Structures are given as structure tokens and as C-alpha cells.
Amino acid sequence: MTLRPIVVLTVGALLSGTGGRALAQQPGAAPQDTSAQGYAPNAGAAAPAAPAPAPAAPAPGASAAPAPAQPSTAAAATALASHEEQLKAMGFMDLVPPRSTERIQREMDEAKLDQRDAETDLAARQQQEAEVKAMVDVKKQEVSTLDARRKLAEKSKQEAEKTSLEAEKKDAERFKEFLDKRVALHRAEKDAAKAEIARAEATQRALELELELARRRGERPGVTDPAAALRSDNVVHELERKLLEARRTAADKGKDAADKQVDITKRRLELYQAQAAAGGNR
């Protein structure tokens, strides 16, 4: 049996199978039904990806846009801090510069000590004024008595007695004038002590406000809630206003106390001259 017809048939079968597959791979060719030929697709080939589903249409009456997100607490706090920086860049300044609580408390203690000293001084000047007023009353009565005796000597034509009584009367009047100057001095010292008490009290009120302001300022960095931060800032600003007003009042009281010291110096100069005259140094 010759092999040539079998070889020819085998080669023809192989060629017809290869050409069929090539034809299936040409563009535009109809897909080959592999199930009819009894073979499976290549397991290593990747399957084509499925198309993404189209977005669902919104239901009738539903809002198409989502609600805007609310700003976070940290973002609000940052915005507030940024606003403060912008104000500073525009030239706004802190009208109440911060000071340490130790320094404020030290000034508070000094103001309390000044008030106690002034109260002690006031009590002493009141006692001195009362004592000198009693001396003035005695000297006034002495002058009145000497004047009555002088008139009697003048009526009796006792010229020597009259001259002597006139000299005594002048000396008593000079001493009485000296005592009057002392009363005026003690009265001025009383007024100065009262003014110093008022100044010390006003200073303490201002320092108390400054201590509260320092406390509030210290709490402010820890406030992160926007509403609470706004309230805290409002309280700080109100304390700053009240503190500035209290400082103005304390300054006015201090000016009044200083004016009283000027008056005391004037009274002392007048007393110096009256005391010199009463002592015979004319």
C-alpha cells in the first residue's frame, strides 16, 4: 500500500484547519462557532472588562446637589486667628498691653499698703486738728481778755498799763495766727489723706480688672468652639474698656492727691512764717 495518498490527505486536512482559523481572525469575519468544533477558548486570555454602569437618575423631587459641608472647629479657630493678624497688619493695636499677674499683684499690695497708711495719717491729722483748735479757742479768749483790759486802762488814763496790754495783745494775736495756720495745715493734710485713700481705692479697682483681664486672656487660647470663642473675645474687649475707664478714674484721683500735696507745701510755708513771727523772729 502506497503512503503518498495518505500524506496528501493529511497535509490537506492540516492546511484546511489552519486556513479556517486564519479566516476567523480576519477583520470583518463572522465569529467562529467553537462549540461545533469541540474546543475551548484559551484559558490564559483575559476576558474583556465589563462597561461601568451608568449613574442612576435622581428620583423626581429629590435635591440634585448635596448639602455643603459645615466648617470644622479647627478651621473656624484658624479663621479667627487669621482675622486678628489681619487687624494687626492694618495698624490696629492692643490698647491694654498684657502684664504678668505677679507684677499686677505686687502693685495691688502696694496700693493696699498706701490706703492703710493714708487711713492712719487721716486719723492722726484729725486728732492734731482737734487739739490745735482747742488751743486756738484758749488763745482767742486770751486776746479778748487782753483787749478788754486795754480798753479799761485807756479809759482810766493808765497809759503805761495800756501800752503793756497792747504789746501782750499783739503777741497773743501772733500766736493765735500761728495756731490758725496749724489748723489750716492739718485740715489740708486731712484732705490730702482722704484724696490718697480715694486714689489707692481707685487704683485697686483698676488692678482687680486687670487681673480678671489677664485670667480671661489666659483662657482664650484653649477655646476652640467658634461661638464660645466669640463670647470670650467680647468679654475680653468689655474688660479692656472698663479697665481703661478705671485707669482714667485712678489717674484723676492721683492728680487730685498731687494737688493736695501742693496745697500742703503752701500751708507749710505760711506756717513757717507765722511760727517765726510767734517766736519773736520778725
Side-chain angles (χ1 to χ4, degrees), residues 39-254:
Y39 76 94
N42 187 1
S63 177
Q70 297 296 329
S72 65
T73 301
T78 303
L80 289 174
S82 177
H83 179 64
E84 293 292 335
E85 294 299 328
Q86 291 174 358
L87 291 179
K88 290 181 180 180
M90 293 170 61
F92 287 79
M93 61 177 293
D94 191 355
L95 297 178
V96 184
R99 301 196 302 168
S100 66
T101 56
E102 292 78 8
R103 180 177 178 183
I104 299 172
Q105 188 61 54
R106 184 169 62 251
E107 292 185 8
M108 176 79 75
D109 296 338
E110 292 175 356
K112 290 180 179 179
L113 181 60
D114 290 342
Q115 180 179 351
R116 289 196 296 268
D117 290 344
E119 290 171 348
T120 301
D121 191 52
L122 175 61
R125 298 301 178 244
Q126 287 174 335
Q127 182 178 356
Q128 288 177 342
E129 182 186 15
E131 292 174 354
V132 177
K133 277 185 176 180
M135 296 172 65
V136 169
D137 291 338
V138 171
K139 189 58 65 173
K140 185 185 296 185
Q141 183 63 38
E142 181 181 346
V143 170
S144 179
T145 300
L146 289 170
D147 187 56
R149 290 176 59 189
R150 182 193 64 80
K151 289 179 179 179
L152 182 61
E154 182 180 8
K155 186 177 181 179
S156 302
K157 304 298 181 179
Q158 300 176 3
E159 293 297 330
E161 183 71 13
K162 172 187 172 183
T163 301
S164 177
L165 291 172
E166 285 180 348
E168 289 184 28
K169 178 187 174 183
K170 287 181 179 180
D171 185 69
E173 288 175 339
R174 285 194 296 268
F175 200 86
K176 176 182 173 296
E177 184 180 359
F178 154 70
L179 294 175
D180 287 337
K181 297 297 183 182
R182 273 200 62 180
V183 171
L185 171 63
H186 297 321
R187 186 178 296 117
E189 289 172 338
K190 279 197 327 179
D191 293 341
K194 292 177 181 178
E196 178 61 19
I197 292 173
R199 182 204 66 79
E201 290 175 344
T203 300
Q204 290 175 62
R205 284 193 291 270
L207 292 170
E208 288 172 355
L209 285 170
E210 190 173 4
L211 278 174
E212 179 64 14
L213 175 60
R215 186 181 71 82
R216 288 284 187 168
R217 281 176 170 173
E219 295 175 350
R220 175 60 181 84
V223 180
T224 57
D225 179 68
L230 181 59
R231 289 194 300 269
S232 178
D233 288 342
N234 289 337
V235 171
V236 167
H237 295 157
E238 181 65 13
L239 284 172
E240 289 175 341
R241 182 183 68 81
K242 289 185 175 295
L243 174 56
L244 291 173
E245 292 177 350
R247 284 181 175 177
R248 180 182 62 185
T249 300
D252 290 338
K253 298 297 183 181

